[in-house]
């Protein structure tokens, strides 16, 4: 679910939005029946934080976004995620067999993540290699919540990335 507001009349045309994702967990992982939702292939990448610590299973993800385009070919995006387990007794999708508290005492607060992404796009003209170049830079930070601290590690995570994409326009 996503809801938001665009402010097209303001400089940079800022957009504020809120997203919520839910995938059920297994309320009784000891009963021999697997009742955790299994997400679709590819649902891990960029959907639930850029660090890729989550799949779409046993998850409640509240996400706040701010996107702004200060220049015509440049966009800046800030995403803030609050990750919780849907079922305290089920495992964290990062490694559900290892990161699990069958008693549920570790709680459901897995952590929070802030992702900052800059995207610059430009057209390249030329007879042989006309196309579009996209450069994306990102900095991400994950703060471990109570569940992660008790069951996995009492450490935060940082991730930085640079991505180059070149799309070629094939001329007949």
């Amino acid at each position: 679910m996503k809801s938001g507001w665009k402010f097209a009349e303001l400089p940079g045309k800022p957009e504020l939005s809120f997203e919520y994702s839910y995938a059920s967990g297994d309320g009784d992982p000891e009963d021999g029946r697997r009742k955790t939702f299994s997400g679709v292939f590819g649902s891990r990448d960029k959907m639930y934080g850029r660090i890729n610590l989550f799949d779409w299973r046993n998850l409640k993800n509240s996400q706040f976004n701010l996107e702004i385009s200060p220049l015509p070919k440049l966009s800046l995006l800030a995403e803030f995620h609050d990750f919780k387990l849907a079922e305290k007794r089920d495992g964290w999708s990062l490694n559900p067999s290892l990161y699990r508290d069958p008693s549920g005492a570790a709680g459901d607060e897995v952590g929070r993540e802030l992702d900052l992404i800059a995207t610059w796009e430009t057209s390249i003209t030329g007879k042989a290699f006309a196309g579009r170049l996209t450069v994306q830079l990102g900095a991400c930070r994950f703060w471990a919540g109570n569940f992660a601290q008790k069951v996995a590690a009492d450490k935060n995570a940082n991730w930085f990335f640079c991505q180059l994409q070149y799309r070629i326009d094939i001329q007949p």
Side-chain angles (χ1 to χ4, degrees), residues 11-86:
K13 300 177 182 173
E15 180 179 342
L16 292 170
S17 61
F18 170 75
E19 296 180 48
Y20 183 76
S21 302
Y22 176 84
S24 64
D26 191 342
D28 186 6
E30 306 300 321
D31 68 359
R33 294 186 340 213
R34 185 172 182 265
K35 295 174 270 184
T36 298
F37 179 80
S38 293
V40 296
F41 176 78
S43 68
R44 181 179 208 137
D45 294 336
K46 98 176 182 179
M47 300 277 298
Y48 313 107
R50 298 291 175 124
I51 300 180
N52 288 335
L53 298 175
F54 296 87
D55 282 332
W56 193 23
R57 62 184 278 184
N58 193 30
L59 175 67
K60 292 191 275 188
N61 175 26
S62 300
Q63 178 179 338
F64 299 91
N65 308 304
L66 171 61
E67 187 166 7
I68 190 164
S69 297
L71 300 170
K73 296 179 181 185
L74 177 68
S75 68
L76 305 173
L77 173 64
E79 298 176 354
F80 179 78
H81 299 264
D82 181 29
F83 297 112
K84 293 184 171 127
L85 299 177

